[in-house]
Amino acid sequence: MQRIAIVGAGIGGLSAAARLGKMGYAVDLYEKNPVPGGKAVEHRQSTSSGSFRWDCGPSLMTMPHILQDLFAFCEERMEDHIPLTPVDPACRYHWTDGTVIDEDRSFWNQPAVRKYLDYAEGLYALSAPAFLQRPPRDWWKALGAEMIEHIKHLPKFMNMQSMATFNQKFFNDKHLLQIFDRFATYNGSSPFKTLSTFAIIPYVEASFGAWYPEGGIARIPEQLALLAERQGVRLHYNHEIHDLNALDASIRICNGDSITAHQRWLPQSHEGRNMLRHDLACSGYIMQLGVRKQFRELEHHNILFSDHYREEFDDIFVKKKLPREPTIYIAISSKRPGSTDAPDGCENWFVMVNAPATTPLDCKGYEKVVFDRLSKFGIKLEAKDIACCNSFSADDFERQHNAWKGSLYGWASHTMQTALFRPPLQHRQHPGLYFTGGTTHPGGGIPLVLLSGKIVSEMVLQDFPHTRFTPMPAV
Ligand SMILES: Cc1cc2nc3c(=O)[nH]c(=O)nc-3n(C[C@H](O)[C@H](O)[C@H](O)COP(=O)(O)OP(=O)(O)OC[C@H]3O[C@@H](n4cnc5c(N)ncnc54)[C@H](O)[C@@H]3O)c2cc1C
C-alpha cells in the first residue's frame, strides 16, 4: 500500500487526507499545533464578566456544496456533522456620512448590481470547471461540449484592468463602488492592483450565499479531522516537520505555507528564490474583544469603511505599514440566535484591519487608532466596557501557522501570473511532493482550500494509482 505523509491539519490538508484515506491509501497527517484547523481555529477565554469564544480566522463561508461534496465522497452527509445556518444579511456596511447598507437579497437585486452579476456569471461559468476543479496541467480536460457555449466569455479574462477601474463602469454610487472594490480583499489583494477577473468573488457570494456553522467555524476542521480518522487517517498533533525530504513516505503533501516550505523545509532552489519576487497578500491586525455592552447598530458581520480607500491600500502594499485610516471589520458571532459565545449583555468582537505582510511589524499603540476610528461611527468603547483584549499581527501568523511574513494567502493576486498560476500543486523536481491549501492553487478561503485538497487527491490517484478504488459519482 502507498504511504502518504501530509504536513498540516489546515482545512486543505484535512480535505486531502479524508479523500485519500477513503481512496485506500495509508495516510499519516502531522500537525505542529495541538488541534486541527490552522487559521480556522477558535479561542475561548474566561473573564470576570463570564466566558467568551471567538473564531480566530474565517467568520463565514460560501459554496457549501463543496463541503457537502467532501462528506458525500466519504459516503456521509455534511448535515449530520456540520449544520450550517444562513447569514442574512451577510454583511452590514457603514460609512462616516451615516450611510448603512445591508448585503441582503434586495441588495443583490438592484439593477446596477444585477448587471454586474450577469457579467461575472460568464466568468464563473468559464472558470469553474477548469480553474476551480482542476490543476493547471489538466485544464484542457474541461474543454467539453458545454464549455463551447462559454468560450465567448474568454475576452473577459483578457481584460487587464484593475478591479477598481473596472467596477467604476458599473457603479456611479460611491458606496456601492467601495463595497465591490472590497471583494478584492477576500484573497488578500488590493482592488487597485488586482485584475477585474475577481468580479467572480461577489458573484459567488450572491449565488451561493453566506453560511455559518452552528457552534462556530472551528466545527468545520474539528469534524473534518473526525471524518479523516473514520477513513483510517492517523493524525499526529504537536508534531512539527522541519524537512519535507526526511518524511518516511513515497508521497508527501505539504499543507503548510508553500512559500515557507520552499524557503525552509526544502533545499534552496531557483524556484524558491523566484517565489519571493511577487507581492504578498496582506496580513491582519486583529483584536479579540470581550465587550461588556451590546451594540444594536452592529450585525454579525460589519465593515466600517475608510474615507480614503486608495490611501489605505497604498499604506498596506506600497508603504508596507499599518493603515493610518483603516477600514475595520467587526464580526460578532454572539449576535446569532441562541449563541453562547458571550455572557448575557456582552458581545464577542473579532476586529480586523488589513495589514502588510511584513515581519517584524511595529503595532504599538495601534489599538488607539482603531478605537479612535470607531468613534467616528458613533461606536464608543471605554476601558470599563472591555472585559478582555487580545491582539494579533503578522508576527503571530508567522509564528502560529508558519505563514511567510504573516501573509494570510501567500501571493497577492496582483498579476495574471499570480492570479492564475499560483505556486504549483506539485514540485517540479520531486513528482511525489505535492502542496495543498490557500497559498497554492486555486487560492485562499474555505471553499477553495477544500477544492485544493480535492484536486491534489485526484492528482495523487492519477500519478500513483490505487487499484482497489472506484470513485463515487460526485453530488
Ligand atoms: C483572519 C482571517 C480571516 C479569514 N476569513 C475568511 C472567511 O471569512 N471566509 C473564508 O472562507 N476564509 C477566510 N479566511 C481564509 C481561510 O481561513 C484560509 O484560507 C484557510 O483556512 C486556510 O487553510 P489551509 O488549508 O491553507 O491551511 P492553514 O489554515 O494555513 O493551516 C496549515 C496548517 O499547517 C500546519 N503547519 C504549518 N507548518 C507545519 C509544519 N512544518 N509541520 C507541521 N504542521 C505545520 C499549521 O499549524 C496549520 O495548522 C480567513 C483567514 C484569516 C487568517
Side-chain angles (χ1 to χ4, degrees), residues 94-99 174-175 178 192 303-313 323-328 372-377:
H94 309 248
W95 286 266
T96 49
D97 65 8
T99 305
K174 66 174 187 179
H175 299 114
Q178 205 167 3
F192 303 97
I303 292 287
L304 298 96
F305 272 117
S306 161
D307 297 326
H308 300 92
Y309 214 32
R310 173 106 214 191
E311 284 81 345
E312 178 177 358
F313 287 96
R324 280 161 296 178
E325 188 191 278
T327 293
I328 301 169
D372 285 351
R373 182 69 194 157
L374 287 179
S375 70
K376 301 276 188 300
F377 294 83

Side-chain angles (χ1 to χ4, degrees), residues 7-13 30-33 35-40 56-62 239-242 255-257 265 286 329 350 352 397 400-402 408-409 436-439 443-447 449:
V7 178
I11 292 176
Y30 303 95
E31 165 57 51
K32 81 180 190 46
N33 292 332
V35 289
K39 294 173 187 116
C56 297
S59 49
L60 60 75
M61 66 168 283
T62 185
H239 197 127
E240 183 159 9
I241 301 297
H242 298 282
N255 175 225
D257 186 301
W265 312 321
I286 288 166
Y329 171 66
F350 170 92
M352 177 168 168
F397 283 107
Q400 284 174 14
H401 308 296
N402 283 331
L408 304 185
Y409 305 99
T436 190
T439 57
I446 296 171
V449 302

Side-chain angles (χ1 to χ4, degrees), residues 410-466:
W411 287 348
S413 297
H414 285 169
T415 62
M416 188 66 105
Q417 186 200 336
T418 53
L420 293 184
F421 300 98
R422 296 184 56 76
L425 289 159
Q426 188 171 26
H427 198 279
R428 290 203 175 87
Q429 280 83 47
H430 306 284
L433 175 57
Y434 300 83
F435 300 90
T436 190
T439 57
T440 173
H441 179 85
I446 296 171
L448 266 57
V449 302
L450 285 167
L451 286 174
S452 183
K454 178 182 185 198
I455 297 170
V456 112
S457 70
E458 289 166 354
M459 289 170 79
V460 168
L461 185 64
Q462 218 176 322
D463 299 344
F464 299 87
H466 195 290

